[in-house]
Amino acid sequence: MQNLSSKKQPAYRCCCPQSGAHRMQTQCSEETTDLGPTGRTVIQGEERARENVVGTTDPQSTGGAAGAEPSSSRRRLHCCIRVTTVQVRKALWGVAMVMCVCSSWAGSTQLAKLTFKQFDAPFTLTWFATTWNCLFFPLYYIGHLCKSPERQTPRQRFRECCRFFGDDGLTPKVFFTKVAPFGLLWILTNYLYLQALRKINTTDVSALFCCNKAFVFLLSWIVLRDRFMGVRIVAAILAIAGIVMMTYADGFHSHSVIGITFVVASASMSALYKVLFKMVLGSAKFGEAALFLSIVGSANFVFISFVPVILYFTRVEYIGSPADIPWAYLCGVAGLLFAFNVLVNFGIAITYPTLISLGIVLSVPVNAMVDLYTCEIHFNTVRLIAVFIICLGFLMLLLPEDWDQCIIQLSTRLRKRDEPAESSAEAGATTGLNWRGRTRTSMSTFAH
């Protein structure tokens, strides 16, 4: 077999006609089988087979090479079909994920707006919805039992996920230094968002909240020393310009200014939560993220339950009787927010993260359509431009870090596709000129 892989061999090596064909088939099949059915490997194997065919005049060797080419082509086709099927499946999941994220976020926003007409208690609603985070780890454990081949008890799985907080696990010190601050940021983000819904319409709230992506980039650039990207700076400028234009759209009235301040503060708390999580805790696996969110929900129920009671007795968020509480609306808002958090945190397991973020920005036109038919909202030119540039800045922030290199590579590939036709035509013309030159030289030599 080592002799077959050598390039320079004596001309008298093929004493038997069948030996040459057998060697070529073995060589082509070895290159395709050993290195995998990639296009490049198969092409190299085919080129070596063609060189051996040119070196011999045996018709059987030509038939052997022709027989090897269809098998390699079938393997390449099977590989391409398999890769395409995986990508199509992931894209279809992505489309479903975009629709689910968009509907859950827009639905929770619209339903919270309706809830405040009967139950004007934003902090109590925040506390109630955050308590539902306790369900994250139980749902994750059910999925673990269904999917994982090595099943663990809840206690074993809990201890394994607690390693995310350090070698000592979840200690009181770790809880008050690494969990409690994020719980407060979580509550502030949701509470300020709900307060903004009491002041301004859902379209403006959902559009302004998209600025949190720009705030995440600015904080990551300053605190985490992330890579500087000009396109993201432009996106952050667009987000800030959109905030100013949104304020100007209502004429700087105190009611709208307060609402815009609330939603911008909510977006800032959300960005601070994400950046600090990455700086303090790093990246988390699915089980670790589920445990962390369950601990946040449990801590909210244990330590924050006294706040709604105080607000009730001070008549800040007063309810006449428990029968007046719209439990259907409260459970609907909490359930939709829980579904949204599940999709955002665990949807990357089945699709691309960019598609999940796309579902958030698509909730803006959905809320706009609902507001157009359910409440009196005036979509003037300034408001439309403000919503557009905020969404544009959000989409620009979804570009990958090497987006410019991807564009350069794509343009290079498109150029290479056009070059073969042009180079073949030029090569044919050059060959003809060289042929004429050689003819004239030979004729003049004979004349001398």
Side-chain angles (χ1 to χ4, degrees):
M1 297 297 292
Q2 293 177 357
N3 295 332
L4 292 176
S5 61
S6 60
K7 293 183 179 180
K8 295 183 180 179
Q9 294 181 354
Y12 53 83
R13 66 180 175 87
C14 297
C15 298
C16 177
Q18 296 180 359
S19 63
H22 177 70
R23 288 171 183 169
M24 283 182 293
Q25 292 177 2
T26 306
Q27 186 176 1
C28 294
S29 62
E30 281 179 353
E31 295 201 11
T32 305
T33 306
D34 294 342
L35 298 179
T38 57
R40 193 170 184 180
T41 305
V42 173
I43 290 173
Q44 289 178 356
E46 291 175 355
E47 289 178 352
R48 292 186 182 181
R50 288 168 188 161
E51 290 176 2
N52 293 335
V53 171
V54 173
T56 180
T57 57
D58 183 24
Q60 295 182 1
S61 63
T62 306
E69 289 180 2
S71 62
S72 61
S73 300
R74 281 194 295 270
R75 290 179 181 178
R76 289 175 59 192
L77 180 61
H78 177 70
C79 180
C80 293
I81 291 174
R82 183 174 58 188
V83 172
T84 305
T85 304
V86 172
Q87 292 177 348
V88 169
R89 186 186 301 115
K90 206 167 186 179
L92 291 177
W93 275 112
V95 173
M97 191 66 63
V98 167
M99 296 176 63
C100 292
V101 169
C102 178
S103 58
S104 61
W105 184 238
S108 62
T109 302
Q110 293 290 337
L111 195 57
K113 187 78 172 179
L114 292 175
T115 304
F116 291 142
K117 295 180 179 179
Q118 302 180 20
F119 183 71
D120 192 11
F123 190 89
T124 304
L125 181 57
T126 302
W127 171 83
F128 183 75
T130 306
T131 306
W132 281 50
N133 286 357
C134 299
L135 301 175
F136 269 102
F137 190 76
L139 289 178
Y140 163 76
Y141 183 73
I142 294 173
H144 166 74
L145 292 178
C146 297
K147 294 292 183 180
S148 179
E150 299 179 0
R151 297 181 178 179
Q152 298 176 337
T153 61
R155 192 169 188 175
Q156 291 175 342
R157 197 62 190 166
F158 177 82
R159 288 181 177 179
E160 184 175 346
C161 293
C162 281
R163 296 176 184 175
F164 171 67
F165 301 104
D167 297 334
D168 298 332
L170 185 63
T171 60
K173 180 181 178 181
V174 170
F175 173 79
F176 286 106
T177 57
K178 294 185 177 181
V179 178
F182 294 102
L184 292 176
L185 288 174
W186 182 285
I187 293 172
L188 282 175
T189 300
N190 289 276
Y191 175 69
L192 292 172
Y193 187 86
L194 294 177
Q195 279 283 9
L197 286 175
R198 297 173 65 241
K199 303 293 183 180
I200 56 178
N201 57 75
T202 58
T203 304
D204 295 348
V205 173
S206 58
L208 289 169
F209 190 78
C210 290
C211 296
N212 75 323
K213 200 80 172 176
F215 298 156
V216 169
F217 164 69
L218 293 176
L219 287 174
S220 300
W221 179 41
I222 296 171
V223 178
L224 302 179
R225 304 294 182 184
D226 281 0
R227 178 186 172 188
F228 174 82
M229 291 183 63
V231 65
R232 294 186 178 179
I233 288 292
V234 174
I237 294 173
L238 290 176
I240 296 171
I243 295 172
V244 176
M245 293 183 67
M246 190 72 73
T247 309
Y248 176 76
D250 291 330
F252 293 98
H253 297 300
S254 60
H255 202 68
S256 62
V257 170
I258 293 173
I260 292 171
T261 304
F262 279 143
V263 69
V264 171
S266 175
S268 302
M269 293 296 106
S270 175
L272 187 62
Y273 176 95
K274 295 177 182 178
V275 174
L276 288 181
F277 188 93
K278 186 176 181 181
M279 183 178 67
V280 176
L281 298 173
S283 58
K285 298 179 182 178
F286 292 120
E288 297 167 349
L291 177 62
F292 180 83
L293 293 174
S294 293
I295 293 172
V296 169
S298 303
N300 169 79
F301 180 76
V302 173
F303 296 103
I304 311 296
S305 296
F306 70 94
V307 178
V309 177
I310 294 175
L311 294 176
Y312 172 78
F313 285 107
T314 56
R315 294 184 176 270
V316 176
E317 294 184 358
Y318 181 76
I319 304 114
S321 64
D324 297 333
I325 299 176
W327 290 106
Y329 284 178
L330 263 66
C331 293
V333 174
L336 288 173
L337 285 176
F338 179 76
F340 172 77
N341 289 316
V342 169
L343 295 172
V344 169
N345 288 281
F346 304 107
I348 57 175
I350 57 176
T351 187
Y352 305 100
T354 304
L355 294 178
I356 298 175
S357 300
L358 189 62
I360 299 175
V361 73
L362 287 179
S363 65
V364 178
V366 172
N367 284 321
M369 294 298 295
V370 175
D371 287 345
L372 188 64
Y373 289 100
T374 58
C375 62
E376 296 180 0
I377 181 174
H378 180 57
F379 286 104
N380 53 21
T381 306
V382 178
R383 175 175 273 110
L384 291 176
I385 294 175
V387 171
F388 174 76
I389 63 175
I390 289 175
C391 295
L392 179 61
F394 186 92
L395 294 175
M396 290 173 66
L397 289 166
L398 296 181
L399 293 174
E401 293 185 355
D402 56 344
W403 67 276
D404 50 347
Q405 298 178 2
C406 295
I407 293 177
I408 293 173
Q409 292 177 0
L410 180 62
S411 61
T412 304
R413 289 179 182 177
L414 293 176
R415 290 177 184 176
K416 287 183 179 180
R417 289 181 181 179
D418 298 336
E419 283 179 359
E422 297 177 358
S423 60
S424 60
E426 292 177 357
T430 306
T431 306
L433 291 174
N434 291 337
W435 179 256
R436 294 190 190 100
R438 289 175 183 174
T439 306
R440 291 174 183 173
T441 303
S442 61
M443 289 175 65
S444 60
T445 303
F446 280 115
H448 282 292

